[in-house]
Amino acid sequence: MRFTPTATVAWRSVVDADPSRMDRSELGAVLRALQVVRSLCDAVELDVTARTRKLADTGRSEPVEALLVNETGRSARDARRAAARNTACDAAPGLQAALADGTLTGGHLDAVATAIGRLEGDDVVAEFA
């Protein structure tokens, strides 16, 4: 995954931030940059979970949910939610790009994944095509 210029600027502004010296406007800018960075991290996690799924299918890794629990200390519920994000991106491929550039959040993907979970087969394709 390549970082967009927006993501690179956001990352730098977050890393260099010193909120104790900022005024209201600067604090708002840091919060917006944090949102872009969080979305970018979620996009990278999508790539990690997709690759883990491929490795697990060939017996070279544990299931995605187990990896997330073991390596990040997440709850099993949160790990299932993160793993389900790939399903949302498979149904609507533009979602991952929107996540990577900070337009969407992981929460948006969670909502799409939940909706997909309630639909069946052809309904998913019809809804997200």
Side-chain angles (χ1 to χ4, degrees):
M1 169 175 290
R2 301 204 60 107
F3 295 121
T4 65
T6 301
T8 302
V9 169
W11 177 257
R12 181 51 48 204
S13 68
V14 167
V15 170
D16 292 341
D18 182 1
S20 68
R21 299 179 178 270
M22 293 180 170
D23 63 23
R24 166 59 182 83
S25 176
E26 293 167 318
L27 292 169
V30 169
L31 288 173
R32 289 187 302 278
L34 275 167
Q35 188 58 47
V36 171
V37 170
R38 284 187 185 112
S39 293
L40 177 62
C41 290
D42 287 339
V44 172
E45 185 178 76
L46 277 172
D47 288 341
V48 170
T49 57
R51 176 66 179 156
T52 302
R53 188 164 280 122
K54 287 180 183 177
L55 291 172
D57 288 346
T58 62
R60 297 184 293 159
S61 176
E62 67 268 43
V64 172
E65 294 85 349
L67 180 72
L68 288 168
V69 169
N70 294 337
E71 296 296 334
T72 68
R74 284 179 162 167
S75 69
R77 178 179 176 223
D78 189 42
R80 282 190 304 276
R81 183 180 303 130
R85 290 176 178 176
N86 287 101
T87 304
C89 289
D90 290 345
L95 292 177
Q96 187 166 4
L99 186 66
D101 72 14
T103 305
L104 291 180
T105 67
H108 290 108
L109 282 184
D110 294 342
V112 172
T114 298
I116 289 171
R118 293 182 179 150
L119 298 173
E120 295 182 16
D122 293 337
D123 293 337
V124 173
V125 174
E127 189 68 28
F128 293 99

